[in-house]
Amino acid sequence: MVTGSTGQLGAELVALLEAEGERVVPPGRRVLDLSDEGSVRDLVARVKPSVVVNCAAWTAVDDAEAQEERAHQVNAAGPRALALACREAGARLIHLSTDYVFSGTATTPYPEDAPTAPLNAYGRTKLSGERAVLDLLPDSGYIVRTAWLYGRSGANFVKTMARLAAERETVQVVDDQHGQPTSAADLARHLLLLARSQAPPGIYHGTNAGQATWHGLAREVFTLLGADPDRVIPVATSAFPRPAPRPAYGVLGHARWAAAGLPAPRDWRTALRAAWPALQS
């Protein structure tokens, strides 16, 4: 069962599962209300999934600053309800989280067991969701943290840069936030590998490897378009004040994939080039 199946990752995962011949149930919002524990329990009991992948989330980072309780209902109470239902049904739960659970003060990639210290409401609500899953499902709960996600469905930074390249002579892009551009298609494949494996429960980092700034990613998009990457102008985060503070460094380490006998994610540039034809269609 895949929740959040209309989002960038959920849509990619459902398409992959169907192509692989897996039976998949993608309940929409009308069928599954994550804020209603009874509804969640009844649906999981009825569907009887072996694995639930929770891709549903409140991802409006700035809006969460003013509406933290609403974000908490989706990002924390929802995963808790799913974990309770999975515990009753004997299903494994793979819950998607974020690099925003970290403070962003590191200078080397965060390992899976690094101390958490979110800077904003979005990060706090996502961390609460992580803790609920791990507390309730110590033997069958998985947290997969991702970041800077792009895919064929919905809006994302890569698509925005491609559009702006056609509309503007130059584009100003932040060059002091470091992270990992991540292909939704790549992450979907890793989630499938995890679901099919006997990997130990706990935390995994589901980003592509390497690192970039938003400016560096934008330059790569311009290059793939055949446009001059020097049209992308680097600026500081302070040039675009936002309600929610962003971590300056959100690069994640991937040691647990290898420890579980699973392939590590590939480099973000390789993944972006592989995804590029689908992003243009």
Side-chain angles (χ1 to χ4, degrees):
M1 189 171 88
V2 178
T3 65
S5 58
T6 60
Q8 287 189 107
L9 178 59
E12 201 74 55
L13 180 57
V14 169
L16 175 62
L17 290 167
E18 291 176 343
E20 290 280 327
E22 296 280 358
R23 178 174 173 263
V24 56
V25 176
R29 291 181 182 177
R30 294 182 180 180
V31 177
L32 178 63
D33 178 2
L34 287 178
S35 66
D36 184 340
E37 276 192 21
S39 170
V40 174
R41 183 180 61 251
D42 291 346
L43 179 63
V44 172
R46 185 167 70 252
V47 172
K48 296 181 176 63
S50 57
V51 180
V52 175
V53 183
N54 182 32
C55 299
W58 175 299
T59 57
V61 175
D62 290 319
D63 290 346
E65 289 299 298
Q67 303 178 67
E68 186 165 354
E69 181 52 39
R70 290 184 61 192
H72 187 275
Q73 284 297 312
V74 180
N75 291 343
R80 182 181 185 278
L82 278 171
L84 285 168
C86 286
R87 187 170 68 179
E88 290 185 14
R92 289 192 293 162
L93 174 59
I94 300 175
H95 171 62
L96 274 295
S97 191
T98 173
D99 65 313
Y100 275 40
V101 298
F102 295 117
S103 66
T105 57
T107 55
T108 57
Y110 283 100
E112 292 84 351
D113 60 355
T116 53
L119 297 178
N120 53 43
Y122 169 68
R124 289 191 294 272
T125 62
K126 292 297 289 183
L127 181 57
S128 293
E130 287 190 10
R131 288 172 173 167
V133 171
L134 294 176
D135 286 348
L136 291 167
L137 298 173
D139 299 319
S140 57
Y142 298 77
I143 304 300
V144 179
R145 295 175 179 145
T146 192
W148 295 28
L149 201 63
Y150 63 85
R152 292 176 291 180
S153 302
N156 56 64
F157 180 85
V158 170
K159 288 183 179 180
T160 298
M161 288 301 106
R163 174 176 57 80
L164 293 180
E167 296 176 355
R168 301 182 186 177
E169 183 58 34
T170 62
V171 180
Q172 292 186 331
V173 181
V174 168
D175 196 33
D176 56 1
Q177 293 178 30
H178 299 260
Q180 292 158 306
T182 299
S183 161
D186 272 32
L187 180 52
R189 284 190 286 271
H190 271 76
L191 292 176
L192 179 56
L193 288 172
L194 186 61
R196 286 175 168 172
S197 76
Q198 297 301 312
I203 299 170
Y204 293 77
H205 284 165
T207 52
N208 280 118
Q211 62 179 284
T213 64
W214 291 112
H215 174 259
L217 173 55
R219 284 181 60 89
E220 191 72 14
V221 171
F222 272 58
T223 299
L224 289 170
L225 287 167
D228 182 0
D230 289 338
R231 289 168 53 197
V232 183
I233 310 301
V235 297
T237 297
S238 58
F240 298 105
R242 307 291 289 273
R246 265 61 172 177
Y249 186 89
V251 181
L252 306 179
H254 303 110
R256 285 214 72 197
W257 294 102
L262 296 170
R266 59 182 170 174
D267 182 78
W268 72 267
R269 287 185 177 86
T270 303
L272 178 59
R273 290 165 188 159
W276 191 251
L279 295 172
Q280 301 301 291
S281 61

